[in-house]
Amino acid sequence: MMDANQVAELRRFVQQLKSNPSILHDPSLIFFKEYLRSLGAQVPKIENTERDDEVKAETKPSFSPKHDDGDEFMESDVELDNSDVVEPDNEPPQPMGDPTAEVTDEKRDDAQLEKSKAMEAISDGKFEEAIEHLTKAVMLNPTSAILYATRASVFLKAKKPNAAIRDANRALQFNPDSAKGYKSRGIARAMLGQWEEAAADLHLASNLDYDEEIGMVLKKVEPNAKRIEEHRRKYQRLRKETELQRAERERRQQQEAQEREAQAALKDGHVISIHSTSELEAKTKAAKKASRLLILYFTATWCGPCRYMSPLYSNLATQHPRVVFLKVDIDEANDVAASWNISSVPTFCFIRDGKEVDKVVGADKGSLEQKITQHSSSK
């Protein structure tokens, strides 16, 4: 039994198939497509553009316009030569016989007799009669790969490719090296427009026992199979490029959002009080991301020169809004002062990209203004 989550996944997959049946032509779903066909289902073919019979079909997929966001597109159809493709036969599966039944010499001889009658009917063009004789033969000898392969070849003559595939599968089940089984299945798949699968089967048949008919069918099958493969590679490449573009755009958007967040935390034109090491680290990282000069002003309430410099420091923050002005009270945040080895106040440390690049010690208004101008314009 399937659990609720599996059923939900299956339901979503079916909804996808309803909205885009071409998903079934994905190579990874060949097993599922074959299963549907074995039940008599009709799988939509990859459509080709109508052209004059005299013009050879070429693969020239065209793109539909991209969506406004620039990273979605619709696949074009592959232009294929489907002139010999037939409508699938959706009749009930033919009798296969019981593979566990005992096959006596008498039954084997009777099966051979039915096969002989079938060959006579084939020579007279009586394909349905031949199928009846071969059906009797497989019922008598249900594990004979050659009988199933022979009946498959007659189903092909009767334009019943799905029935031929079922017989070819049974033949290959009993003899995995049945050249006739691969050949019949390959031709049947070509009749259904399953070009890639047909090419694979026909090449296997050719390697096992080549004949001229296989070569003739391959001349028709291989160009279509190659067009489909080229089409798939093209769109796989485009999808990969699209994914890379989307990832790069998302990376840029994330970076821009981080920069906006960092800039918002820096309070342009204001002096920001620091109360802990972690708070200082956060502001230092934000200034680095925003490529800003950061000034760290160490002060104390009992410091006379600091009381003189503090108003000036606030005015400088207003004059240089792109510079980050921080203030640390060494008594309140003594851990910060200790980590910077502050021995006297006021002290002004200049930080660029997380590293100290300069320092002013004492109430030196001129040096402070000169170094702010120097370092704020250095990058």
Side-chain angles (χ1 to χ4, degrees), residues 256-312:
E256 291 170 359
Q258 289 175 345
E259 290 176 355
R260 287 193 299 270
E261 182 180 353
Q263 291 175 9
L266 296 178
K267 298 181 180 178
D268 293 356
H270 294 82
V271 176
I272 305 171
S273 294
I274 298 297
H275 305 284
S276 66
T277 301
S278 59
E279 192 175 356
L280 175 59
E281 288 177 354
K283 299 301 181 186
T284 302
K285 288 180 180 179
K288 183 178 180 179
K289 286 182 180 179
S291 300
R292 303 270 197 96
L293 172 68
L294 181 147
I295 304 173
L296 188 56
Y297 167 37
F298 291 94
T299 182
T301 55
W302 46 260
C303 170
C306 295
R307 287 194 291 271
Y308 164 71
M309 293 297 294
S310 290
L312 171 65

Side-chain angles (χ1 to χ4, degrees), residues 95-300:
M96 290 293 183
D98 181 5
T100 63
E102 180 182 358
V103 180
T104 63
D105 289 340
E106 182 181 357
K107 287 184 177 180
R108 195 172 282 108
D109 292 340
D110 289 344
Q112 194 60 34
L113 179 61
E114 292 294 340
K115 180 183 176 184
S116 298
K117 292 179 182 179
M119 302 311 290
E120 292 179 8
I122 292 171
S123 63
D124 294 335
K126 300 176 180 179
F127 302 135
E128 293 299 330
E129 182 180 329
I131 290 171
E132 291 178 6
H133 286 300
L134 286 168
T135 298
K136 292 178 181 178
V138 298
M139 299 300 287
L140 290 165
N141 188 2
T143 60
S144 172
I146 190 62
L147 288 177
Y148 288 108
T150 301
R151 188 170 66 168
S153 66
V154 183
F155 275 126
L156 292 176
K157 295 179 184 295
K159 304 296 183 185
K160 295 182 178 181
N162 279 328
I165 290 173
R166 287 191 288 269
D167 268 354
N169 287 340
R170 183 58 67 95
L172 291 167
Q173 176 184 339
F174 294 123
N175 179 13
D177 294 324
S178 171
K180 193 168 185 178
Y182 284 117
K183 175 183 175 181
S184 295
R185 193 170 70 179
I187 294 174
R189 285 173 162 173
M191 292 171 67
L192 292 169
Q194 301 170 19
W195 304 111
E196 291 178 294
E197 299 93 330
D201 279 342
L202 292 169
H203 280 296
L204 284 170
S206 178
N207 291 336
L208 291 166
D209 185 15
Y210 177 81
D211 63 39
E212 291 184 0
E213 185 179 13
I214 294 175
M216 289 177 61
V217 179
L218 274 172
K219 287 181 180 178
K220 175 67 176 293
V221 168
E222 283 190 317
N224 281 342
K226 288 179 179 178
R227 290 186 185 109
I228 294 172
E229 177 60 24
E230 290 168 359
H231 178 85
R232 181 183 299 110
R233 284 200 301 266
K234 178 177 183 178
Y235 278 97
Q236 285 175 342
R237 185 180 68 254
L238 288 172
R239 286 192 187 93
K240 186 174 182 179
E241 292 173 356
T242 298
E243 289 171 1
L244 290 174
Q245 291 170 0
R246 182 186 295 114
E248 175 61 20
R249 185 168 59 254
E250 290 175 352
R251 185 194 65 78
R252 288 199 305 268
Q253 291 173 346
Q254 184 178 12
Q255 182 179 359
E256 291 170 359
Q258 289 175 345
E259 290 176 355
R260 287 193 299 270
E261 182 180 353
Q263 291 175 9
L266 296 178
K267 298 181 180 178
D268 293 356
H270 294 82
V271 176
I272 305 171
S273 294
I274 298 297
H275 305 284
S276 66
T277 301
S278 59
E279 192 175 356
L280 175 59
E281 288 177 354
K283 299 301 181 186
T284 302
K285 288 180 180 179
K288 183 178 180 179
K289 286 182 180 179
S291 300
R292 303 270 197 96
L293 172 68
L294 181 147
I295 304 173
L296 188 56
Y297 167 37
F298 291 94
T299 182

Side-chain angles (χ1 to χ4, degrees), residues 13 24 32 57 63 79 81 86-87 113 199 253 293 304-305 335:
F13 177 61
L24 282 174
F32 185 56
F63 293 95
E79 295 185 9
D81 180 1
V86 302
E87 287 296 321
L113 179 61
Q253 291 173 346
L293 172 68
D335 58 332

